[in-house]
Protein backbone atom coordinates (compact mmCIF):
# COMPACT_ATOMS: atom_id res chain seq x y z
CA UNK A 1 0.00 0.00 0.00
CA UNK A 2 2.91 2.35 0.85
CA UNK A 3 4.49 1.72 -2.55
CA UNK A 4 1.15 2.40 -4.21
CA UNK A 5 0.71 5.68 -2.27
CA UNK A 6 4.24 6.75 -3.28
CA UNK A 7 3.54 6.00 -6.96
CA UNK A 8 0.25 7.90 -6.94
CA UNK A 9 1.80 10.84 -5.04
CA UNK A 10 4.66 11.05 -7.54
CA UNK A 11 2.29 10.90 -10.50
CA UNK A 12 -0.03 13.58 -9.05
CA UNK A 13 2.78 15.77 -7.73
CA UNK A 14 1.40 15.79 -4.16
CA UNK A 15 2.35 14.27 -0.80
CA UNK A 16 1.45 10.74 0.25
CA UNK A 17 -0.60 12.24 3.07
CA UNK A 18 -2.71 14.15 0.52
CA UNK A 19 -3.24 10.97 -1.50
CA UNK A 20 -4.35 9.19 1.69
CA UNK A 21 -6.84 11.96 2.50
CA UNK A 22 -8.36 11.77 -1.01
CA UNK A 23 -8.60 7.95 -0.98
CA UNK A 24 -10.26 7.99 2.42
CA UNK A 25 -12.70 10.76 1.48
CA UNK A 26 -11.35 13.20 4.10
CA UNK A 27 -12.08 16.95 3.83
CA UNK A 28 -9.49 19.69 3.49
CA UNK A 29 -8.24 18.90 -0.03
CA UNK A 30 -8.69 21.43 -2.86
CA UNK A 31 -10.93 20.29 -5.72
CA UNK A 32 -8.15 20.58 -8.32
CA UNK A 33 -5.78 18.54 -6.12
CA UNK A 34 -8.43 15.87 -5.59
CA UNK A 35 -8.91 15.62 -9.38
CA UNK A 36 -5.14 15.29 -9.89
CA UNK A 37 -5.03 12.35 -7.49
CA UNK A 38 -8.00 10.65 -9.16
CA UNK A 39 -6.41 11.20 -12.58
CA UNK A 40 -3.18 9.65 -11.29
CA UNK A 41 -5.15 6.58 -10.18
CA UNK A 42 -6.59 6.25 -13.67
CA UNK A 43 -3.23 6.72 -15.41
CA UNK A 44 -1.51 4.11 -13.24
CA UNK A 45 -4.32 1.62 -13.76
CA UNK A 46 -5.61 1.52 -10.17
CA UNK A 47 -9.34 1.21 -9.57
CA UNK A 48 -10.94 4.16 -7.87
CA UNK A 49 -12.45 3.37 -4.47
CA UNK A 50 -16.18 2.76 -4.86
CA UNK A 51 -17.12 5.90 -2.95
CA UNK A 52 -15.06 8.02 -5.37
CA UNK A 53 -16.49 6.64 -8.59
CA UNK A 54 -18.63 9.09 -10.52
CA UNK A 55 -22.21 7.94 -10.62
CA UNK A 56 -23.69 7.71 -14.10
CA UNK A 57 -26.49 10.14 -14.83
CA UNK A 58 -28.17 7.25 -16.63
CA UNK A 59 -27.96 4.93 -19.61
CA UNK A 60 -28.51 6.16 -23.16
CA UNK A 61 -29.11 3.66 -25.94
CA UNK A 62 -27.49 4.03 -29.36
CA UNK A 63 -28.95 1.78 -32.07
CA UNK A 64 -26.98 1.41 -35.32
CA UNK A 65 -27.69 -0.84 -38.31
CA UNK A 66 -24.26 -2.53 -38.41
CA UNK A 67 -20.58 -1.84 -37.76
CA UNK A 68 -18.97 -3.13 -40.98
CA UNK A 69 -19.31 0.26 -42.64
CA UNK A 70 -16.69 2.37 -40.80
CA UNK A 71 -18.93 5.45 -40.76
CA UNK A 72 -21.15 3.86 -38.08
CA UNK A 73 -18.34 3.18 -35.55
CA UNK A 74 -17.07 6.72 -36.22
CA UNK A 75 -20.48 8.20 -35.41
CA UNK A 76 -20.88 5.89 -32.41
CA UNK A 77 -17.53 7.08 -31.04
CA UNK A 78 -18.48 10.76 -31.31
CA UNK A 79 -21.86 10.13 -29.67
CA UNK A 80 -20.36 7.90 -26.96
CA UNK A 81 -17.70 10.46 -26.04
CA UNK A 82 -20.23 13.30 -25.94
CA UNK A 83 -22.55 11.29 -23.67
CA UNK A 84 -19.71 10.30 -21.34
CA UNK A 85 -18.62 13.93 -20.99
CA UNK A 86 -22.15 14.73 -19.82
CA UNK A 87 -22.05 11.93 -17.23
CA UNK A 88 -24.20 9.42 -19.17
CA UNK A 89 -23.28 5.84 -19.99
CA UNK A 90 -23.73 4.93 -23.69
CA UNK A 91 -25.10 1.47 -24.51
CA UNK A 92 -24.35 0.45 -28.11
CA UNK A 93 -26.93 -1.88 -29.66
CA UNK A 94 -26.18 -3.10 -33.18
CA UNK A 95 -28.44 -4.85 -35.65
CA UNK A 96 -26.87 -7.73 -37.52
CA UNK A 97 -28.30 -9.90 -40.30
CA UNK A 98 -30.25 -12.70 -38.63
CA UNK A 99 -29.81 -11.02 -35.23
CA UNK A 100 -31.90 -8.64 -33.18
CA UNK A 101 -34.24 -6.26 -34.98
CA UNK A 102 -34.52 -2.55 -34.21
CA UNK A 103 -37.79 -3.19 -32.35
CA UNK A 104 -36.19 -5.93 -30.21
CA UNK A 105 -33.19 -3.75 -29.38
CA UNK A 106 -35.50 -0.85 -28.49
CA UNK A 107 -37.53 -3.08 -26.17
CA UNK A 108 -34.35 -4.37 -24.52
CA UNK A 109 -33.09 -0.83 -23.89
CA UNK A 110 -36.46 0.36 -22.55
CA UNK A 111 -36.61 -2.67 -20.21
CA UNK A 112 -33.22 -1.60 -18.82
CA UNK A 113 -34.54 1.84 -18.00
CA UNK A 114 -32.54 3.95 -20.45
CA UNK A 115 -32.91 7.71 -20.17
CA UNK A 116 -33.21 8.04 -23.93
CA UNK A 117 -32.31 6.48 -27.30
CA UNK A 118 -30.47 7.71 -30.41
CA UNK A 119 -31.40 5.86 -33.61
CA UNK A 120 -28.88 5.98 -36.49
CA UNK A 121 -30.06 5.08 -40.02
CA UNK A 122 -32.98 3.14 -38.56
CA UNK A 123 -36.45 2.30 -39.82
CA UNK A 124 -37.27 6.02 -39.67
CA UNK A 125 -35.25 6.31 -42.91
CA UNK A 126 -37.32 3.62 -44.65
CA UNK A 127 -40.42 5.06 -46.35
CA UNK A 128 -42.03 1.60 -46.40
CA UNK A 129 -41.74 1.10 -42.61
CA UNK A 130 -44.54 1.65 -40.09
CA UNK A 131 -43.71 4.81 -38.13
CA UNK A 132 -46.21 3.94 -35.41
CA UNK A 133 -43.39 2.23 -33.47
CA UNK A 134 -41.86 5.64 -32.69
CA UNK A 135 -45.16 7.09 -31.51
CA UNK A 136 -45.54 4.10 -29.19
CA UNK A 137 -42.05 4.79 -27.82
CA UNK A 138 -42.98 8.42 -27.24
CA UNK A 139 -46.15 7.30 -25.45
CA UNK A 140 -43.93 5.29 -23.07
CA UNK A 141 -42.19 8.53 -22.13
CA UNK A 142 -38.81 7.62 -23.65
CA UNK A 143 -37.04 10.61 -25.30
CA UNK A 144 -35.32 9.84 -28.61
CA UNK A 145 -33.50 11.46 -31.52
CA UNK A 146 -33.32 10.16 -35.10
CA UNK A 147 -30.14 10.46 -37.21
CA UNK A 148 -29.93 10.04 -41.02
CA UNK A 149 -33.48 9.84 -42.34
CA UNK A 150 -36.64 11.90 -41.97
CA UNK A 151 -40.35 11.19 -41.69
CA UNK A 152 -43.06 13.85 -41.33
CA UNK A 153 -45.12 11.19 -39.51
CA UNK A 154 -42.80 11.15 -36.47
CA UNK A 155 -42.86 13.93 -33.89
CA UNK A 156 -39.17 13.96 -32.95
CA UNK A 157 -35.92 15.85 -33.62
CA UNK A 158 -34.04 14.63 -36.73
CA UNK A 159 -30.32 15.11 -37.48
CA UNK A 160 -29.35 14.80 -41.16
CA UNK A 161 -26.61 15.69 -43.64
CA UNK A 162 -27.73 17.71 -46.67
CA UNK A 163 -27.83 14.84 -49.18
CA UNK A 164 -28.99 17.05 -52.04
CA UNK A 165 -26.10 19.46 -51.50
CA UNK A 166 -23.69 16.49 -51.31
CA UNK A 167 -24.64 15.45 -54.82
CA UNK A 168 -24.40 19.02 -56.06
CA UNK A 169 -20.83 19.22 -54.75
CA UNK A 170 -19.80 15.90 -56.34
CA UNK A 171 -21.40 16.49 -59.74
CA UNK A 172 -20.17 20.10 -60.02
CA UNK A 173 -16.62 18.89 -59.31
CA UNK A 174 -16.81 16.21 -62.01
CA UNK A 175 -18.36 18.53 -64.59
CA UNK A 176 -15.55 21.03 -63.93
CA UNK A 177 -13.13 18.23 -64.90
CA UNK A 178 -14.89 17.80 -68.23
CA UNK A 179 -17.04 14.75 -67.44
CA UNK A 180 -20.37 14.71 -69.28
CA UNK A 181 -21.37 11.09 -68.59
CA UNK A 182 -21.64 10.82 -64.79
CA UNK A 183 -23.34 7.91 -63.02
CA UNK A 184 -24.80 7.62 -59.51
CA UNK A 185 -24.49 4.36 -57.53
CA UNK A 186 -26.63 4.13 -54.41
CA UNK A 187 -28.85 1.94 -52.22
CA UNK A 188 -32.52 0.90 -52.45
CA UNK A 189 -34.93 3.67 -53.45
CA UNK A 190 -37.24 3.33 -50.44
CA UNK A 191 -34.75 5.10 -48.15
CA UNK A 192 -35.07 8.86 -47.61
CA UNK A 193 -31.32 9.65 -47.98
CA UNK A 194 -31.34 7.76 -51.31
CA UNK A 195 -34.34 9.72 -52.58
CA UNK A 196 -32.73 13.01 -51.58
CA UNK A 197 -29.42 12.12 -53.24
CA UNK A 198 -31.29 11.28 -56.45
CA UNK A 199 -33.11 14.65 -56.28
CA UNK A 200 -29.83 16.54 -55.86
CA UNK A 201 -28.09 14.50 -58.55
CA UNK A 202 -30.87 14.86 -61.12
CA UNK A 203 -31.27 18.59 -60.52
CA UNK A 204 -27.53 19.29 -60.84
CA UNK A 205 -26.99 17.11 -63.93
CA UNK A 206 -30.07 18.70 -65.51
CA UNK A 207 -28.77 22.22 -64.78
CA UNK A 208 -25.15 21.62 -65.85
CA UNK A 209 -25.47 19.07 -68.66
CA UNK A 210 -28.96 19.84 -70.03
CA UNK A 211 -30.28 16.27 -69.78
CA UNK A 212 -33.93 15.51 -68.99
CA UNK A 213 -34.86 14.02 -65.59
CA UNK A 214 -36.17 10.92 -67.41
CA UNK A 215 -32.84 10.37 -69.22
CA UNK A 216 -30.88 10.85 -66.02
CA UNK A 217 -32.95 8.46 -63.89
CA UNK A 218 -33.13 5.72 -66.52
CA UNK A 219 -29.50 5.85 -67.75
CA UNK A 220 -27.35 7.34 -65.00
CA UNK A 221 -28.85 6.14 -61.68
CA UNK A 222 -28.14 2.58 -60.52
CA UNK A 223 -29.55 1.10 -57.30
CA UNK A 224 -27.67 -1.60 -55.42
CA UNK A 225 -26.56 -2.38 -51.84
CA UNK A 226 -24.44 -0.23 -49.52
CA UNK A 227 -21.55 -2.70 -49.65
CA UNK A 228 -18.31 -3.26 -51.53
CA UNK A 229 -20.08 -5.84 -53.71
CA UNK A 230 -23.00 -3.46 -54.23
CA UNK A 231 -20.61 -0.80 -55.46
CA UNK A 232 -19.02 -3.27 -57.85
CA UNK A 233 -22.38 -4.27 -59.35
CA UNK A 234 -23.66 -0.71 -59.70
CA UNK A 235 -20.41 0.64 -61.17
CA UNK A 236 -20.27 -2.22 -63.65
CA UNK A 237 -23.75 -1.34 -64.94
CA UNK A 238 -22.87 2.37 -65.18
CA UNK A 239 -19.60 1.67 -67.02
CA UNK A 240 -21.55 -0.46 -69.51
CA UNK A 241 -23.57 2.70 -70.22
CA UNK A 242 -20.45 4.73 -70.99
CA UNK A 243 -19.97 6.61 -67.73
CA UNK A 244 -16.51 8.16 -67.28
CA UNK A 245 -17.24 9.07 -63.65
CA UNK A 246 -19.24 7.44 -60.86
CA UNK A 247 -20.57 9.12 -57.72
CA UNK A 248 -21.19 6.57 -54.95
CA UNK A 249 -23.50 7.00 -51.96
CA UNK A 250 -20.94 5.50 -49.57
CA UNK A 251 -17.18 5.05 -49.43
CA UNK A 252 -17.64 1.28 -49.30
CA UNK A 253 -19.50 1.39 -52.61
CA UNK A 254 -16.76 3.63 -54.04
CA UNK A 255 -14.10 1.04 -53.15
CA UNK A 256 -16.22 -1.53 -54.99
CA UNK A 257 -16.40 0.79 -58.00
CA UNK A 258 -12.60 1.11 -58.06
CA UNK A 259 -12.25 -2.67 -57.88
CA UNK A 260 -14.60 -3.11 -60.85
CA UNK A 261 -12.68 -0.51 -62.86
CA UNK A 262 -9.41 -2.36 -62.26
CA UNK A 263 -10.93 -5.71 -63.13
CA UNK A 264 -11.84 -4.19 -66.50
CA UNK A 265 -8.29 -2.97 -67.02
CA UNK A 266 -9.13 0.69 -66.31
CA UNK A 267 -6.95 3.08 -64.34
CA UNK A 268 -8.51 5.27 -61.63
CA UNK A 269 -8.59 8.23 -62.20
CA UNK A 270 -7.01 8.22 -65.69
CA UNK A 271 -9.80 6.22 -67.34
CA UNK A 272 -12.63 6.66 -64.84
CA UNK A 273 -13.16 8.97 -61.84
CA UNK A 274 -14.80 7.80 -58.61
CA UNK A 275 -16.32 9.90 -55.79
CA UNK A 276 -17.40 8.43 -52.44
CA UNK A 277 -19.61 9.69 -49.63
CA UNK A 278 -18.92 9.81 -45.85
CA UNK A 279 -15.12 10.29 -45.64
CA UNK A 280 -14.87 7.22 -43.42
CA UNK A 281 -11.79 6.71 -41.23
CA UNK A 282 -8.70 5.60 -43.24
CA UNK A 283 -10.37 6.38 -46.59
CA UNK A 284 -7.67 8.98 -47.29
CA UNK A 285 -5.13 6.13 -47.36
CA UNK A 286 -6.69 3.97 -50.07
CA UNK A 287 -5.05 3.54 -53.49
CA UNK A 288 -5.72 6.03 -54.92
CA UNK A 289 -6.78 8.22 -51.97
CA UNK A 290 -10.53 8.64 -52.39
CA UNK A 291 -12.19 11.88 -53.39
CA UNK A 292 -15.34 11.93 -51.26
CA UNK A 293 -18.07 14.09 -49.80
CA UNK A 294 -17.39 14.34 -46.07
CA UNK A 295 -20.38 13.77 -43.83
CA UNK A 296 -20.13 16.19 -40.87
CA UNK A 297 -19.96 13.36 -38.31
CA UNK A 298 -18.59 15.30 -35.28
CA UNK A 299 -21.19 18.08 -35.65
CA UNK A 300 -24.04 15.61 -36.24
CA UNK A 301 -23.06 13.37 -33.33
CA UNK A 302 -22.69 16.23 -30.88
CA UNK A 303 -25.98 17.76 -32.03
CA UNK A 304 -27.75 14.42 -31.55
CA UNK A 305 -26.50 14.21 -27.95
CA UNK A 306 -27.24 17.85 -27.17
CA UNK A 307 -30.76 17.51 -28.58
CA UNK A 308 -31.43 14.27 -26.68
CA UNK A 309 -30.23 15.75 -23.38
CA UNK A 310 -32.59 18.69 -23.90
CA UNK A 311 -35.40 16.17 -24.39
CA UNK A 312 -34.35 14.29 -21.25
CA UNK A 313 -34.09 17.55 -19.31
CA UNK A 314 -37.66 18.49 -20.14
CA UNK A 315 -36.85 21.33 -22.56
CA UNK A 316 -37.31 19.53 -25.87
CA UNK A 317 -35.92 20.91 -29.10
CA UNK A 318 -38.38 21.71 -31.88
CA UNK A 319 -39.69 18.57 -33.53
CA UNK A 320 -38.03 19.33 -36.81
CA UNK A 321 -34.97 18.43 -38.87
CA UNK A 322 -31.52 19.87 -38.22
CA UNK A 323 -29.58 19.66 -41.50
CA UNK A 324 -25.77 19.77 -41.64
CA UNK A 325 -23.74 20.80 -44.68
CA UNK A 326 -21.24 18.27 -46.08
CA UNK A 327 -17.99 19.25 -47.81
CA UNK A 328 -16.13 17.93 -50.84
CA UNK A 329 -12.67 16.48 -50.12
CA UNK A 330 -10.70 16.21 -53.37
CA UNK A 331 -8.01 13.52 -53.41
CA UNK A 332 -6.59 11.20 -56.04
CA UNK A 333 -9.57 9.26 -57.43
CA UNK A 334 -10.85 12.04 -59.72
CA UNK A 335 -9.21 13.63 -62.76
CA UNK A 336 -10.14 15.22 -66.06
CA UNK A 337 -12.37 13.24 -68.40
CA UNK A 338 -10.44 10.92 -70.73
CA UNK A 339 -12.60 12.24 -73.58
CA UNK A 340 -11.58 15.82 -72.94
CA UNK A 341 -7.89 14.99 -72.41
CA UNK A 342 -5.39 15.28 -75.21
CA UNK A 343 -4.09 11.88 -76.30
CA UNK A 344 -0.45 11.42 -77.37
Amino acid sequence: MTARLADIAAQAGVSEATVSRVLNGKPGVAGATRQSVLAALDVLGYERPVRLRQRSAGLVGLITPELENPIFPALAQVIGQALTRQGYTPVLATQTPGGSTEDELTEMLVDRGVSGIIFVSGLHADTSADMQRYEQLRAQGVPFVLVDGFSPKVQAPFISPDDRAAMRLAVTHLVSLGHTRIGLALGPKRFVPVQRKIEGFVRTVQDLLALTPEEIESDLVQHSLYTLEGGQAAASALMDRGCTAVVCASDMMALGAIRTARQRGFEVPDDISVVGFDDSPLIAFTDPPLTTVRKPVPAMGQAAVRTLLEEIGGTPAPHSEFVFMPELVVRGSTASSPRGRARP
Side-chain angles (χ1 to χ4, degrees):
M1 184 65 191
T2 306
R4 187 188 300 175
L5 282 177
D7 292 342
I8 298 166
Q11 177 69 33
V14 298
S15 69
E16 290 182 35
T18 299
V19 173
S20 179
R21 293 185 75 82
V22 171
L23 296 182
N24 290 302
K26 303 281 188 183
V29 181
T33 303
R34 188 178 299 277
Q35 287 305 315
S36 296
V37 172
L38 294 176
L41 282 175
D42 297 338
V43 168
L44 296 172
Y46 294 127
E47 274 195 45
R48 294 187 182 194
V50 174
R51 66 166 104 48
L52 299 180
R53 291 179 199 164
Q54 187 176 12
R55 282 185 57 78
S56 170
L59 304 177
V60 170
L62 171 61
I63 300 181
T64 65
E66 39 99 356
L67 295 177
E68 288 184 3
N69 186 331
I71 199 64
F72 293 127
L75 193 52
Q77 184 173 16
V78 170
I79 290 172
Q81 287 174 341
L83 285 168
T84 302
R85 280 196 296 270
Q86 297 299 322
Y88 287 84
T89 301
V91 180
L92 180 61
T94 305
Q95 300 173 63
T96 51
S100 298
T101 64
E102 180 182 310
D103 290 339
E104 289 167 345
L105 293 173
T106 301
E107 185 179 355
M108 177 270 290
L109 290 169
V110 172
D111 287 347
R112 280 160 177 73
V114 292
S115 300
I117 300 175
I118 297 174
F119 294 88
V120 176
S121 298
L123 290 168
H124 63 277
D126 187 342
T127 56
S128 68
D130 182 3
M131 297 298 156
Q132 194 59 36
R133 53 174 48 87
Y134 298 110
E135 292 312 307
Q136 290 170 356
L137 185 61
R138 179 167 297 286
Q140 291 175 275
V142 180
F144 60 92
V145 172
L146 303 158
V147 179
D148 261 345
F150 176 77
S151 172
K153 299 174 185 173
V154 182
Q155 289 295 302
F158 290 85
I159 309 289
S160 304
D162 191 330
D163 289 300
R164 298 180 186 93
M167 294 300 100
R168 187 168 63 248
L169 289 169
V171 172
T172 302
H173 168 62
L174 292 168
V175 170
S176 75
L177 293 172
H179 293 274
T180 57
R181 192 76 179 161
I182 302 167
L184 174 61
L186 73 183
K189 194 169 183 177
R190 68 180 188 274
F191 294 107
V192 172
V194 170
Q195 294 172 4
R196 289 177 169 182
K197 285 184 175 74
I198 292 173
E199 289 171 18
F201 179 81
V202 169
R203 191 175 305 148
T204 309
V205 172
Q206 187 180 5
D207 290 346
L208 298 180
L209 298 175
L211 298 176
T212 68
E214 293 74 27
E215 286 177 301
I216 299 166
E217 285 229 38
S218 63
D219 292 350
L220 302 179
V221 175
Q222 185 65 42
H223 295 280
S224 188
L225 299 175
Y226 280 113
T227 60
L228 193 78
E229 294 77 16
Q232 284 183 257
S236 182
L238 292 167
M239 288 177 201
D240 286 344
R241 296 177 207 148
C243 290
T244 62
V246 178
V247 179
C248 298
S250 79
D251 291 335
M252 295 292 282
M253 293 187 83
L255 296 181
I258 292 172
R259 179 187 281 182
T260 287
R262 287 182 172 152
Q263 286 173 345
R264 291 182 173 220
F266 294 156
E267 290 291 327
V268 178
D270 292 344
D271 300 311
I272 187 160
S273 290
V274 177
V275 179
F277 179 80
D278 282 336
D279 197 27
S280 313
L282 303 182
I283 213 68
F285 305 101
T286 56
D287 179 26
L290 187 67
T291 295
T292 189
V293 180
R294 177 180 292 157
K295 182 185 282 191
V297 166
M300 288 175 60
Q302 289 159 15
V305 170
R306 193 164 55 246
T307 306
L308 182 69
L309 296 189
E310 287 173 357
E311 296 269 320
I312 291 170
T315 54
H319 290 154
S320 59
E321 185 176 24
F322 301 94
V323 180
F324 291 78
M325 188 66 184
E327 65 176 301
L328 180 71
V329 183
V330 179
R331 298 193 182 107
S333 66
T334 51
S336 59
S337 166
R339 290 172 188 164
R341 195 185 303 133
R343 292 287 185 182

